[in-house]
Amino acid sequence: MDTPPSTSSAAAAARRATDPDSALISAVADALVSSSRLPTLPPMGAVLGPYLPRLTASHHPRVLALAAANPWLASPHALIAYRRLVSPPSCLASLLPLLPVLPYRNLFPLLLDFVPLDPLRRLHRHLLMSPPTAALADAALSAYARLRLPHLAAQLLHSFRRRGGVRPSLQAANAVLSALARCPTTSTQASLDAFRSLIGLRLFPNHYTFNLLVHTHCSKGTLADALSTLSTMQGFGLSPDAVTYNTLLNAHCRKGMLGEARALLARMKKEGITPTRPTYNTLVSAYARLGWIKPATKVVEAMTAFGLEPDQWTYNVLAAGLCQAGKLDEAFRLKDKIERLGIVSPDVVTYNTLVDACFKWQRSSDAHILLEEMRDKGVKASLVTHNIVVKGLCREGQLEEALGRLKMMAEEGLAPDVITYNTLVDACCKAGNVAKAYVLMDEMMRKGLKMDTFTLNTLLYNLCKEKRYEEAEELLHSPPQRGFVPDEVSYGTMMAAYFKEYNPEPALRLWDEMVERKLTPTIFTYNTLIKGLCRMGRLKEAIDKLNEVMEKGLVPDETTYNIIIHAYCKEGDLENAFQFHNKMVENSFKPDVVTCNTLMNGLCLHGKLDKALKLFKSWVEKGKKVDVVTYNTLIQTLCKAGDVDMALHFFADMEVRGLQPDAFTYNVVVSALSEAERSEEAQNMLHKLTESGKLSESFSYPLMKSSVEEVERGKDPDVKPDTETGGNAQGDDQENYRKRVNELCIGGQVKEAKAVLDEMMQKGLSVDSSTYITLMEGLIKRQKRQTHAAG
């Protein structure tokens, strides 16, 4: 066996004379080289035992560099073992000597360990400045891609292209493209730039490369660019495969573009590419999701005819579509059919889908039958099953039964998760039992479950709903006790509650506190603040906040503009309201039906009926959506102006457009007909309302001006709808109003009773049908008597 020459030489001897550490460094390097040539690497502690007491951190990079440069080094494992023994994993100096000598199989895991310990990106800067070996280039690209740092991987790829001299493998370049495709914050342009660098490095793309590009375009919604990638692919002599088409089909189906999806399937077959089971399953899923069950069933039949048997996933998707469309009986028949034919057996996913639908469509008895059937057939309930049942029971108000599921889960060896507890906490809060919610939270903590912001925000919302603001503030400001981390929604929830109470100062204090805590407000949080300021009449401050939104690079949405427009209309400043409408259009936002209703309501409230009618005409001619509120606004204003015939014209037009008049519409029209001494028409309309079944046991209608606010709330996740804030106070108000209406009707004071009814309905309180009919009939009879007396 050859003996490796010592690193000591005449030059080394000269260095030792001036550097007393050189002898130690040379000796350790020689020991490492020698141990690398042994059949089995001995323990590093034994190899370096005599030297370890004298070695310091400054020696390690020099030892590694000297050993790595020795041509007699047989294996890099000795160097890796030495670094692992004596140097911190985050030390770049001891890593650099290894980078040129290690093969890919050693470099890749080494970089996976090092990169997370390198927050200053020192290694990345080194790689950008020093040309790496091909193995190091591949390992670096793959490591940054695996660690979800695609922007760093892409920078390296671009630098390799610019500098030349190093050419990574196609596999490493594809890893960069894959990481870019998975990252939700990167643009399609970043992927295209990486692809151009790949081509510039003279790497020939393969099917996987192009499928990644197609996937990137599809995930970003740029389907036209995804399709154009097919022609680029053909330019490299490649044809789309089943994966390419399946990706395109899935993207088009998710956007509801089923006509285009069918055309893609036809093109796929024409090009001789055999559809796979995922191809058909994609179409089945799309049809089922839209509730188009017949086309979905036809796809299943075509799938079978093509020689592909539907699998469990196919039938589960079909069952989910039936359940979503409310066709539970058909879903049950499908389950029975596949069982009877022995195609597949219903699994836990099948049962979960059906049980969830039964609770959703208020067929809880069927849900319990299914749960028993699961047990009888040996299908073990999963955690998802229990969470579905807990949610269903809570929705039905059966809180004790829902809490009992915790014990059942423990008996089945399942541990409740955060979703289970969050559902129960939310239900306890809605039931007014906040104390029990706290007990559940403590139980979560004992079980080691980390409570999330949903738990916190649920409690905050319900405490605010009960006007327990001090407790809510205490919970917000002491989250570490239970592991809470408040977010912008937490602050937005409390701010909205304070604004609702016309108490802006605490809301603004919370805003400042949120900003101080470096919580970045979203556009939804800004909408809460802007809406609150507008509600307080502080429109100028709201505009300042809107400008702040623009300065911070956030994009105002339709809700933002609608809030400001509503505030201007409320102040009677219609000129500025329409200016904001125009600005909305200039900024590429499409005004919606809320915008139209807000502007129309403002015009009507301030006596500009002609302009409101012109706005309506313009809106309809452009093919834009109108709703019941739009018509109610005009009908009420026309009735007040005494133009009952025109109001009746719009009433008829509603039904032509497929819009059903509500209780408010009938109330306004019946009252207007009665006051116009057209009692017979009023009586006929009242009978029509009663016979149609549209007059339920109780009904209410929102004010037109508040309908705007309600839609805004629906779009704003920071604020829950006020419809949940009912309670005893509201019930008492309803009963008191009903008594007053009935007493006035009995006393013949119908006009006064009508005024009370209007006040009641404007407050959003429900009116029982008997009270409404009694009052309307009294109003009609009074008008008949007056007409008869006048005759």
Side-chain angles (χ1 to χ4, degrees):
M1 178 178 172
D2 293 335
T3 303
S6 169
T7 52
S8 304
S9 61
R15 283 196 302 273
R16 281 200 301 273
T18 56
D19 183 358
D21 289 338
S22 292
L24 173 64
I25 291 166
S26 296
V28 175
D30 288 342
L32 291 175
V33 172
S34 298
S35 64
S36 76
R37 301 178 63 80
L38 297 174
T40 304
L41 184 69
M44 197 52 55
V47 173
L48 303 176
Y51 309 112
L52 285 176
R54 291 181 290 156
L55 285 170
T56 64
S58 63
H59 295 141
H60 307 320
R62 295 170 63 188
V63 168
L64 288 165
L66 191 60
N70 194 311
W72 288 85
L73 183 73
S75 164
H77 295 296
L79 305 186
I80 296 172
Y82 174 77
R83 182 177 187 272
R84 189 178 294 123
L85 177 69
V86 299
S87 179
S90 60
C91 178
L92 179 64
S94 64
L95 177 69
L96 291 178
L98 303 180
L99 298 181
V101 297
L102 292 181
Y104 175 87
R105 65 177 179 275
N106 297 125
L107 279 169
F108 182 58
L110 195 63
L111 295 186
L112 284 179
D113 291 336
F114 179 82
V115 170
L117 304 174
D118 184 27
L120 299 178
R121 308 297 181 215
R122 293 168 299 160
L123 173 62
H124 186 254
R125 290 199 297 272
H126 171 79
L127 294 171
L128 288 173
M129 292 185 293
S130 305
T133 62
L136 179 55
D138 282 359
L141 292 175
S142 301
Y144 283 121
R146 174 76 64 84
L147 294 168
R148 297 186 179 182
L149 298 168
H151 59 293
L152 299 181
Q155 283 179 6
L156 285 179
L157 189 67
H158 300 325
S159 73
F160 297 159
R161 176 193 176 186
R162 286 193 304 270
R163 288 183 298 177
V166 61
R167 188 181 175 197
S169 66
L170 177 62
Q171 183 180 3
N174 280 344
V176 178
L177 277 175
S178 177
L180 289 167
R182 292 196 311 271
C183 182
T185 58
T186 56
S187 64
T188 52
Q189 188 59 47
S191 293
L192 291 172
D193 290 342
F195 177 75
R196 291 189 185 100
S197 287
L198 180 153
I199 301 301
L201 287 162
R202 302 188 307 284
L203 298 173
F204 195 86
N206 58 12
H207 276 94
Y208 183 61
T209 313
F210 282 105
N211 285 340
L212 284 170
L213 284 178
V214 170
H215 172 75
T216 300
H217 284 303
C218 288
S219 65
K220 305 297 181 183
T222 52
L223 300 188
D225 292 330
L227 290 168
S228 67
T229 304
L230 301 186
S231 58
T232 308
M233 192 176 187
Q234 290 164 349
F236 282 87
L238 298 171
S239 299
D241 58 10
V243 175
T244 320
Y245 275 108
N246 286 346
T247 305
L248 288 166
L249 277 168
N250 186 50
H252 282 82
C253 286
R254 285 188 176 277
K255 280 190 167 285
M257 302 167 67
L258 297 185
E260 291 83 348
R262 285 193 295 269
L264 279 168
L265 180 61
R267 177 176 170 182
M268 182 180 182
K269 291 177 179 178
K270 186 178 178 182
E271 291 181 6
I273 300 167
T274 305
T276 61
R277 186 175 283 108
T279 312
Y280 287 104
N281 281 346
T282 297
L283 289 169
V284 172
S285 175
Y287 282 124
R289 193 166 54 244
L290 291 170
W292 298 357
I293 305 304
K294 285 186 179 179
T297 307
K298 286 183 179 178
V299 174
V300 174
E301 292 170 358
M303 183 179 181
T304 308
F306 199 74
L308 293 170
E309 284 297 327
D311 57 8
Q312 187 77 60
W313 193 89
T314 316
Y315 284 112
N316 283 344
V317 164
L318 200 55
L322 288 165
C323 290
Q324 185 177 327
K327 299 178 179 180
L328 266 65
D329 292 331
E330 289 184 45
F332 279 111
R333 283 196 291 272
L334 176 66
K335 178 185 77 71
D336 295 338
K337 178 183 176 182
I338 61 176
E339 265 188 308
R340 187 173 61 255
L341 296 175
I343 303 170
V344 290
S345 297
D347 61 3
V348 68
V349 176
T350 318
Y351 281 105
N352 286 347
T353 302
L354 293 170
V355 170
D356 186 44
C358 286
F359 278 117
K360 179 182 176 182
W361 296 99
Q362 298 179 350
R363 291 174 57 171
S364 56
S365 57
D366 289 331
H368 291 294
I369 291 170
L370 283 167
L371 292 169
E372 289 177 12
E373 186 181 305
M374 282 180 72
R375 285 192 291 271
D376 294 341
K377 292 186 176 178
V379 180
K380 189 177 180 182
S382 65
L383 178 60
V384 174
T385 316
H386 284 284
N387 284 344
I388 287 169
V389 177
V390 167
K391 180 182 175 183
L393 291 170
C394 288
R395 188 185 291 153
E396 293 185 343
Q398 301 181 49
L399 184 55
E400 290 305 318
E401 290 82 352
L403 290 166
R405 299 295 295 191
L406 293 175
K407 183 179 178 182
M408 189 182 298
M409 291 169 75
E411 290 171 354
E412 294 181 14
L414 292 170
D417 63 1
V418 174
I419 295 172
T420 322
Y421 278 104
N422 280 347
T423 305
L424 290 168
V425 166
D426 185 49
C428 288
C429 289
K430 284 179 178 175
N433 194 349
V434 178
K436 181 63 178 176
Y438 278 110
V439 170
L440 287 168
M441 287 161 53
D442 292 336
E443 189 177 311
M444 285 177 75
M445 198 162 51
R446 286 196 304 273
K447 291 185 176 181
L449 290 172
K450 185 179 179 182
M451 287 173 281
D452 55 20
T453 51
F454 178 87
T455 323
L456 170 66
N457 294 339
T458 298
L459 273 169
L460 285 175
Y461 170 73
N462 284 283
L463 287 170
C464 290
K465 186 174 77 172
E466 295 183 6
K467 303 188 187 303
R468 294 161 64 174
Y469 297 114
E470 288 185 12
E471 290 177 61
E473 290 256 11
E474 184 180 347
L475 183 65
L476 183 70
H477 293 120
S478 57
Q481 296 175 8
R482 288 188 169 89
F484 289 133
V485 180
D487 60 4
E488 69 278 358
V489 178
S490 315
Y491 281 92
T493 300
M494 288 210 62
M495 285 164 53
Y498 278 128
F499 278 126
K500 188 180 174 185
E501 292 291 321
Y502 291 91
N503 190 5
E505 300 313 317
L508 295 173
R509 172 178 51 76
L510 287 171
W511 173 269
D512 294 336
E513 183 181 311
M514 180 180 69
V515 174
E516 285 172 13
R517 294 187 65 170
K518 308 297 183 187
L519 290 171
T520 306
T522 64
I523 188 59
F524 303 112
T525 325
Y526 267 106
N527 284 348
T528 300
L529 178 63
I530 291 170
K531 180 184 167 187
L533 290 169
C534 288
R535 189 171 188 174
M536 300 298 108
R538 296 161 70 165
L539 184 52
K540 185 180 181 304
E541 293 175 61
I543 299 295
D544 291 341
K545 288 299 174 187
L546 176 62
N547 294 332
E548 187 178 304
V549 168
M550 310 284 276
E551 289 167 6
K552 289 190 174 182
L554 291 172
V555 181
D557 59 10
E558 284 84 355
T559 301
T560 321
Y561 285 107
N562 286 338
I563 291 168
I564 298 293
I565 290 170
H566 179 255
Y568 275 123
C569 287
K570 188 177 176 182
E571 290 192 355
D573 191 349
L574 298 176
E575 183 179 346
N576 269 321
F578 276 93
Q579 282 181 4
F580 257 85
H581 169 268
N582 297 337
K583 187 181 291 187
M584 192 176 186
V585 176
E586 288 169 10
N587 289 338
S588 301
F589 285 107
K590 295 181 180 179
D592 56 15
V593 67
V594 179
T595 320
C596 172
N597 291 344
T598 305
L599 290 168
M600 194 168 295
N601 187 53
L603 291 167
C604 289
L605 282 175
H606 295 91
K608 299 184 184 296
L609 177 57
D610 290 343
K611 289 187 177 180
L613 291 169
K614 285 179 183 177
L615 175 63
F616 177 84
K617 183 181 178 184
S618 167
W619 195 265
V620 170
E621 284 175 352
K622 290 176 183 176
K624 295 186 177 181
K625 181 185 174 184
V626 291
D627 61 10
V628 175
V629 175
T630 320
Y631 277 96
N632 285 349
T633 305
L634 286 174
I635 288 170
Q636 183 189 42
T637 308
L638 287 164
C639 286
K640 282 184 178 178
D643 196 346
V644 182
D645 288 328
M646 182 63 80
L648 289 172
H649 165 75
F650 277 102
F651 182 88
D653 192 47
M654 282 180 77
E655 296 190 328
V656 170
R657 292 184 181 276
L659 296 171
Q660 294 299 319
D662 58 12
F664 172 71
T665 326
Y666 280 101
N667 183 45
V668 169
V669 174
V670 170
S671 299
L673 286 169
S674 300
E675 291 175 10
E677 302 182 4
R678 296 162 68 168
S679 304
E680 189 174 342
E681 291 176 71
Q683 189 76 53
N684 290 337
M685 186 164 284
L686 186 59
H687 285 321
K688 181 182 175 184
L689 172 61
T690 309
E691 290 168 4
S692 67
K694 294 172 187 173
L695 188 62
S696 58
E697 185 58 33
S698 63
F699 64 90
S700 62
Y701 69 88
L703 275 170
M704 285 174 292
K705 63 180 181 181
S706 67
S707 68
V708 176
E709 297 172 1
E710 287 183 17
V711 176
E712 287 167 0
R713 277 197 301 270
K715 291 183 179 179
D716 189 346
D718 291 357
V719 187
K720 293 196 178 182
D722 293 338
T723 51
E724 297 180 16
T725 62
N728 294 333
Q730 190 182 46
D732 292 342
D733 284 347
Q734 287 172 346
E735 188 58 34
N736 291 333
Y737 271 108
R738 287 174 196 152
K739 285 180 181 178
R740 284 175 61 197
V741 170
N742 287 331
E743 287 169 1
L744 289 167
C745 285
I746 292 168
Q749 297 175 281
V750 183
K751 190 173 182 180
E752 291 79 357
K754 172 67 170 56
V756 173
L757 177 74
D758 288 341
E759 182 182 335
M760 185 178 182
M761 295 183 76
Q762 284 175 1
K763 286 188 175 181
L765 301 175
S766 62
V767 184
D768 64 89
S769 57
S770 61
T771 304
Y772 180 81
I773 292 171
T774 301
L775 177 58
M776 288 297 106
E777 287 181 340
L779 191 63
I780 293 166
K781 287 176 183 177
R782 180 180 69 89
Q783 194 59 53
K784 281 182 177 179
R785 286 196 302 271
Q786 289 177 349
T787 306
H788 181 71

